[in-house]
Amino acid sequence: MSSFDVVIIGSGPGGYVAAIRCAQLGFKTAIIEKYAALGGTCLNVGCIPSKALLASSHHYSDVAHFAEHGIEVSGEIKVNLEKMIARKQAVVDQTVGGVKFLMDKNKITVFEGLGSFVDATHVAIAKADGTSETVEAKNIIIATGSKPSNLPFIKLDKERIITSTEALKLPEVPKHLVIIGGGVIGIELGQVYLRLGAQVSVVEYLDRIIPGMDASLSKELTKVFKKQGMKFYVSHKVKSVERNGKGVVVQAENSKGETITLEGDYALVSVGRRPYTDGLNADKAGVKISDRGMVEVNDHLQTNVPNIYAIGDVVRGAMLAHKAEEEGTMVAELLAGQKPHINYNLIPGVVYTWPEVAAVGQTEEQLKASGIEYKAGSFPFKALGRARAGGDLDGFVKILADAKTDEVLGVHMIGARCADLIAEAVTAMEFKASAEDISRISHAHPTFAEAIKEAALAATDNRALHV
Ligand SMILES: Cc1cc2nc3c(=O)[nH]c(=O)nc-3n(C[C@H](O)[C@H](O)[C@H](O)COP(=O)(O)OP(=O)(O)OC[C@H]3O[C@@H](n4cnc5c(N)ncnc54)[C@H](O)[C@@H]3O)c2cc1C
């Protein structure tokens, strides 16, 4: 029987990063993945393929603005969805290949098969060819991730009533895509198909889309998306989703008890994700799973069984790839006797639509609810030279700072390139910057980043320069 210092179950961004860090720290490491492709949800059916389709559809939507830039296109410009999806798959395959390369480079043993606990130090691997092998481990990291959630009354047929996984490889551009759930995943995929010509309707139970983020971001994104033609039914509770021949019928009820009926050709159910532990046999090792299906962990990501840890989507906290990665690194370093720390307040959240939406720290709603006195400074992108030069005028940066100390408590932004701009806010907050600190840093001109400096100036003393 092979024996390892650390065995990791699941090769998503949590698992494979944990494996690399364990190997770097000198542990004899193995990783078990039930699929042939490494990389988990993120690389195969999540972050990477969705961003590939967002990029392709963005290029297509840019064509509408060519004329104003003096670019004349003769002939018809058409979408070849099959080719677009094939390109997406090529990007995925290349990225997955990169993870395999990293496993080999770091001398990590990769097992393909379903990992199930035998006891607290042994994991059985059931392989596709029907054989099984058991490995021994001093320490085990559970990184089994998550799967799409569903509503109890919806029967997913994965053909017309689909999850994000199928939405990444549709055979045609829908005529009318009805999206159930206005969270990040639904909204991103909605914009892909909206750009490609679909009518897109979003039905959301709460009173706004991207409900976890600052309300000002939801408001601005809704405004921009409505301009682009997306339809929203917020404060609507979905009552039924049924197949109707080649189409779907979605019924939802508003707060007054009135029922609306939406007929489409596809219904995308994106109502969140649930932690995944099927087949893991966690009970054989005595690992506690919560009522909501999460592996329970303490602040050190350790389960109730001392040599077993859990990270990523399968434990509490934001279901984000970079959060999973930080946790993978943290467990490896804890095992090596180091004292790592994760500041969960500074895990940024990003929506990769255009405009992009990004945030870190506390929202205005959270600050109000906890009675913290704060000041807010905002700056609109349309007042920036760089935004005008490129024609990306939507959105703003908002900085929330402590009313007394001026420490930055939250940064919320929507606009071009915000997914990358948010890194400045994370860095500043990690070093406990005040709004004035940011306002005194030189920002290259002309850049979108100047909006951060201007918002900081606005928060410091209401002294933004360019509005
Ligand atoms: C459409 C979509 C878009 C997304 N976009 C983003 C984004 O832009 N940015 C972002 O930060 N996050 C994004 N996410 C979320 C991100 O994918 C997850 O947060 C991330 O993948 C979680 O990583 P993980 O390592 O915890 O688990 P996963 O990536 O889910 O990996 C878990 C792995 O474990 C394997 N596994 C499970 N059980 C077993 C077992 N018993 N034995 C062996 N293997 C097992 C699974 O097959 C899987 O490969 C997106 C998700 C979706 C669905």
Side-chain angles (χ1 to χ4, degrees):
M1 185 190 304
S2 318
S3 180
F4 297 90
D5 295 320
V6 188
V7 164
I8 296 147
I9 309 174
S11 73
Y16 87 73
V17 168
I20 294 172
R21 191 71 188 114
C22 283
Q24 284 176 343
L25 291 163
F27 294 118
K28 188 181 174 201
T29 306
I31 191 162
I32 305 170
E33 170 55 55
K34 69 174 180 168
Y35 292 123
L38 299 175
T41 305
C42 178
L43 272 63
N44 291 284
V45 289
C47 327
I48 301 303
S50 59
K51 266 81 262 181
L53 291 182
L54 277 161
S56 297
S57 60
H58 196 169
H59 287 311
Y60 180 62
S61 67
D62 270 350
V63 173
H65 303 285
F66 277 5
E68 73 198 59
H69 288 272
I71 303 165
E72 287 168 16
V73 182
S74 60
E76 200 186 347
I77 296 193
K78 284 195 292 193
V79 170
N80 180 335
L81 186 64
E82 197 182 339
K83 208 165 171 183
M84 197 179 277
I85 290 194
R87 175 198 174 267
K88 172 220 75 175
Q89 196 53 42
V91 172
V92 167
D93 293 345
Q94 206 177 26
T95 316
V96 164
V99 176
K100 177 73 176 74
F101 165 81
L102 292 171
M103 295 300 103
D104 294 344
K105 184 185 158 207
N106 286 284
K107 301 191 173 37
I108 295 158
T109 306
V110 177
F111 292 101
E112 186 189 326
L114 181 80
S116 307
F117 281 102
V118 176
D119 56 36
T121 51
H122 293 87
V123 182
I125 305 155
K127 302 183 182 177
D129 63 5
T131 60
S132 173
E133 178 178 353
T134 298
V135 292
E136 187 180 45
K138 285 193 196 116
N139 296 288
I140 298 169
I141 303 176
I142 302 170
T144 50
S146 62
K147 289 277 175 209
S149 294
N150 191 13
L151 297 173
F153 53 86
I154 300 179
K155 191 171 171 301
L156 293 165
D157 64 12
K158 301 197 174 179
E159 193 187 31
R160 296 280 164 175
I161 304 176
I162 59 174
T163 69
S164 58
T165 302
E166 294 76 49
L168 292 166
K169 51 179 184 199
L170 286 184
E172 60 187 348
V173 175
K175 290 182 191 62
H176 183 194
L177 174 64
V178 182
I179 301 180
I180 295 147
V184 179
I185 293 173
I187 291 291
E188 287 184 359
L189 290 168
Q191 192 175 39
V192 167
Y193 288 106
L194 182 76
R195 286 167 173 164
L196 300 183
Q199 181 190 336
V200 176
S201 304
V202 178
V203 186
E204 166 58 50
Y205 176 68
L206 295 173
D207 62 358
R208 59 192 178 91
I209 58 165
I210 51 167
M213 300 187 94
D214 193 277
S216 62
L217 300 180
S218 306
K219 197 172 158 197
E220 181 74 5
L221 190 64
T222 305
K223 191 178 91 189
V224 178
F225 272 9
K226 277 188 177 165
K227 263 196 294 182
Q228 294 175 4
M230 204 180 277
K231 291 211 163 57
F232 294 99
Y233 300 87
V234 294
S235 302
H236 276 72
K237 185 175 180 177
V238 171
K239 302 296 272 185
S240 70
V241 180
E242 301 290 343
R243 275 293 291 263
N244 175 15
K246 279 198 164 177
V248 292
V249 181
V250 176
Q251 292 205 306
E253 193 179 274
N254 68 15
S255 46
K256 292 181 205 143
E258 297 157 348
T259 299
I260 58 152
T261 303
L262 298 170
E263 290 188 20
D265 45 354
Y266 290 88
L268 165 59
V269 182
S270 57
V271 291
R273 295 182 61 84
R274 63 175 177 86
Y276 182 75
T277 53
D278 296 5
L280 186 64
N281 285 347
D283 53 327
K284 292 242 175 101
V287 171
K288 266 196 210 152
I289 309 276
S290 76
D291 296 344
R292 299 179 59 204
M294 280 172 211
V295 177
E296 288 188 7
V297 287
N298 63 19
D299 287 349
H300 284 171
L301 296 156
Q302 191 176 31
T303 68
N304 58 308
V305 182
N307 68 313
I308 302 178
Y309 294 76
I311 59 173
D313 282 11
V314 80
V315 302
R316 80 285 180 273
M319 286 188 168
L320 291 171
H322 43 287
K323 177 257 193 189
E325 289 185 22
E326 293 305 326
E327 291 183 334
T329 300
M330 173 158 157
V331 170
E333 293 180 355
L334 281 167
L335 291 174
Q338 299 181 4
K339 295 197 164 34
H341 173 72
I342 297 172
N343 184 346
Y344 283 96
N345 185 43
L346 296 188
I347 303 281
V350 176
V351 189
Y352 294 83
T353 49
W354 202 264
E356 291 178 337
V357 187
V360 63
Q362 303 198 58
T363 63
E364 279 208 68
E365 294 76 41
Q366 286 168 333
L367 290 173
K368 279 181 190 149
S370 46
I372 296 170
E373 282 184 44
Y374 67 93
K375 47 195 183 144
S378 285
F379 188 82
F381 279 108
K382 65 173 178 268
L384 282 184
R386 187 62 191 271
R388 303 203 76 81
D392 281 308
L393 302 176
D394 293 317
F396 57 84
V397 174
K398 177 168 83 173
I399 293 186
L400 307 173
D402 188 285
K404 290 192 195 79
T405 65
D406 198 35
E407 182 181 340
V408 177
L409 302 174
V411 179
H412 307 277
M413 49 175 80
I414 172 167
R417 306 189 192 178
C418 285
D420 293 290
L421 292 180
I422 199 67
E424 176 180 351
V426 179
T427 309
M429 289 175 71
E430 184 67 42
F431 290 99
K432 301 217 168 288
S434 65
E436 185 175 356
D437 288 333
I438 298 178
S439 77
R440 291 188 181 280
I441 295 170
S442 172
H443 287 68
H445 173 77
T447 57
F448 288 96
E450 285 174 287
I452 300 178
K453 179 187 172 95
E454 291 275 9
L457 280 166
T460 304
D461 215 359
N462 199 19
R463 57 187 180 91
L465 294 165
H466 292 89
V467 275

